[in-house]
mmCIF file of all heavy atoms in Angstrom:
data_model
loop_
_atom_site.group_PDB
_atom_site.id
_atom_site.type_symbol
_atom_site.label_atom_id
_atom_site.label_comp_id
_atom_site.label_asym_id
_atom_site.label_seq_id
_atom_site.Cartn_x
_atom_site.Cartn_y
_atom_site.Cartn_z
ATOM 1 N N ALA T 241 129.179 145.013 59.630
ATOM 2 C CA ALA T 241 129.758 143.668 59.673
ATOM 3 C C ALA T 241 130.595 143.397 58.425
ATOM 4 O O ALA T 241 131.703 142.836 58.510
ATOM 5 C CB ALA T 241 128.657 142.625 59.800
ATOM 6 N N GLN T 274 175.460 127.000 56.566
ATOM 7 C CA GLN T 274 175.949 125.720 56.033
ATOM 8 C C GLN T 274 177.220 125.870 55.196
ATOM 9 O O GLN T 274 177.816 124.875 54.796
ATOM 10 C CB GLN T 274 174.832 125.046 55.228
ATOM 11 C CG GLN T 274 173.682 124.569 56.097
ATOM 12 C CD GLN T 274 172.451 124.148 55.313
ATOM 13 O OE1 GLN T 274 172.552 123.633 54.212
ATOM 14 N NE2 GLN T 274 171.285 124.369 55.890
ATOM 15 N N LYS T 293 178.199 129.428 81.528
ATOM 16 C CA LYS T 293 177.755 128.911 82.833
ATOM 17 C C LYS T 293 176.244 128.655 82.867
ATOM 18 O O LYS T 293 175.637 128.579 83.939
ATOM 19 C CB LYS T 293 178.161 129.848 83.982
ATOM 20 C CG LYS T 293 179.658 130.070 84.071
ATOM 21 C CD LYS T 293 180.030 130.856 85.304
ATOM 22 C CE LYS T 293 181.523 131.173 85.318
ATOM 23 N NZ LYS T 293 182.388 129.989 85.250
ATOM 24 N N LYS T 317 163.323 114.106 70.961
ATOM 25 C CA LYS T 317 162.261 113.818 71.918
ATOM 26 C C LYS T 317 162.198 114.897 72.992
ATOM 27 O O LYS T 317 161.116 115.364 73.375
ATOM 28 C CB LYS T 317 162.485 112.452 72.559
ATOM 29 C CG LYS T 317 161.388 112.033 73.528
ATOM 30 C CD LYS T 317 161.649 110.648 74.090
ATOM 31 C CE LYS T 317 160.541 110.252 75.080
ATOM 32 N NZ LYS T 317 160.786 108.904 75.656
ATOM 33 N N TYR T 336 144.824 121.297 68.555
ATOM 34 C CA TYR T 336 145.562 122.428 68.001
ATOM 35 C C TYR T 336 146.917 122.585 68.683
ATOM 36 O O TYR T 336 147.898 123.022 68.069
ATOM 37 C CB TYR T 336 144.741 123.703 68.130
ATOM 38 C CG TYR T 336 143.461 123.648 67.328
ATOM 39 C CD1 TYR T 336 142.233 123.445 67.962
ATOM 40 C CD2 TYR T 336 143.483 123.761 65.942
ATOM 41 C CE1 TYR T 336 141.055 123.373 67.228
ATOM 42 C CE2 TYR T 336 142.317 123.691 65.195
ATOM 43 C CZ TYR T 336 141.107 123.490 65.849
ATOM 44 O OH TYR T 336 139.941 123.413 65.126
ATOM 45 N N VAL T 358 161.811 129.117 77.447
ATOM 46 C CA VAL T 358 162.040 129.667 78.779
ATOM 47 C C VAL T 358 161.688 128.694 79.895
ATOM 48 O O VAL T 358 162.502 128.426 80.784
ATOM 49 C CB VAL T 358 161.241 130.978 78.953
ATOM 50 C CG1 VAL T 358 161.287 131.443 80.399
ATOM 51 C CG2 VAL T 358 161.787 132.056 78.028
ATOM 52 N N SER T 445 154.300 148.146 70.691
ATOM 53 C CA SER T 445 154.182 146.847 71.354
ATOM 54 C C SER T 445 155.362 145.936 71.037
ATOM 55 O O SER T 445 155.678 145.025 71.807
ATOM 56 C CB SER T 445 152.880 146.151 70.932
ATOM 57 O OG SER T 445 151.752 146.912 71.291
ATOM 58 N N VAL T 450 161.719 143.385 70.201
ATOM 59 C CA VAL T 450 162.882 143.666 69.356
ATOM 60 C C VAL T 450 164.105 143.998 70.215
ATOM 61 O O VAL T 450 165.232 143.570 69.907
ATOM 62 C CB VAL T 450 162.566 144.814 68.374
ATOM 63 C CG1 VAL T 450 163.822 145.204 67.593
ATOM 64 C CG2 VAL T 450 161.459 144.407 67.398
ATOM 65 N N ALA T 495 152.165 146.580 62.100
ATOM 66 C CA ALA T 495 151.623 147.925 62.344
ATOM 67 C C ALA T 495 150.874 148.432 61.116
ATOM 68 O O ALA T 495 149.771 148.988 61.221
ATOM 69 C CB ALA T 495 152.748 148.884 62.708
#
Side-chain angles (χ1 to χ4, degrees):
Q274 291 169 33
K293 301 187 185 303
K317 183 178 179 181
Y336 296 104
V358 171
S445 299
V450 174

